Amino acid sequence: MTVRLTMFCATTAEGGLGRVFGDGAVSDRRRRELAAMTATLPPYALALRGPSARCAQTAEALAIAATPEHALRDLDHGRWDGRTPEDIAAVDPHGLSVWLTDPDAAPHGGETVRELCRRTAAWLDTLPAGTGRILAITEASFIRAALVHALSVPARSFGHLQVPPASAVTLTLRDGCWSTRFDRLTVPRRRQTAEGVPTVAVPTTPTTRRRVCLTGRP
């Protein structure tokens, strides 16, 4: 049985500046950059996306007709939705600190990190063999939870897994073992030759791989 899932991290503003918990709109600049990344995406037979406006706009910018999938939703941040980490640190530093270190903490009244990891693992376990290559445009939090499951690391490792905006992670399940591949999709940039004639650089997708066997659950 083989399952191959590529998760593309939906992006909002310039490099994540001014990040807030919860949903957000994709900037015009990001839309143009995403359009240039389309050619670097891996082939896929099925395209899915998270239910957020961010995922919908990212899919639109990539010119991908992706089917909404509720299971790909972001972590529920409860009362922190729409607020910045800096704002929360100013009014509730203890709550933010506990949330960042304890996967069972929910000072915002929403979803715990462990709950996110469990529902993500449950969805991954339902992916049928023979579906072919799947592309999922989803949230950074979902991808981090998927890595917790695939790498079979504790849920407290969630905060140490970095998933940059507009990056891609591919999970492949074969014979009960997950292999992971991290792709950093780059935006083609214009440059000039010595003669002053503008050219377009070829986009690159550097990758790293790690193969692990599932020996436990977070």
Side-chain angles (χ1 to χ4, degrees), residues 32-189:
R32 293 191 295 270
E33 292 178 345
L34 288 168
M37 291 180 183
T38 303
T40 69
L41 290 172
Y44 57 88
L46 173 66
L48 303 173
R49 67 166 176 82
S52 68
R54 172 172 48 233
C55 288
Q57 293 171 15
T58 298
E60 180 184 17
L62 291 168
I64 295 175
T67 302
E69 171 56 65
H70 186 63
L72 300 177
R73 66 190 183 276
D74 197 3
L75 174 76
D76 179 4
H77 293 96
R79 293 184 299 273
W80 292 357
D81 190 72
R83 301 171 64 186
T84 67
E86 292 76 16
D87 174 39
I88 297 165
V91 297
D92 187 13
H94 176 71
L96 182 62
S97 177
V98 170
W99 180 73
L100 290 173
T101 56
D102 183 357
D104 295 306
H108 43 55
E111 188 176 25
T112 69
V113 166
R114 191 179 302 278
E115 288 170 341
L116 168 65
C117 291
R118 285 173 175 167
R119 70 167 165 87
T120 300
W123 183 78
L124 289 171
D125 289 342
T126 65
L127 293 177
T131 304
R133 296 174 181 266
I134 304 171
L135 175 65
I137 299 170
T138 185
E139 313 287 348
S141 63
F142 182 92
I143 298 175
R144 290 159 72 184
L147 286 171
V148 166
H149 179 66
L151 298 175
S152 195
V153 295
R156 63 177 177 272
S157 302
F158 177 90
H160 301 288
L161 298 170
Q162 299 301 313
V163 180
S167 64
V169 176
T170 297
L171 301 183
T172 302
L173 177 63
R174 184 181 293 110
D175 298 329
C177 290
W178 287 101
S179 63
T180 64
R181 188 179 72 222
F182 303 81
D183 301 327
R184 180 59 176 169
L185 307 182
T186 60
V187 181
R189 297 186 180 279

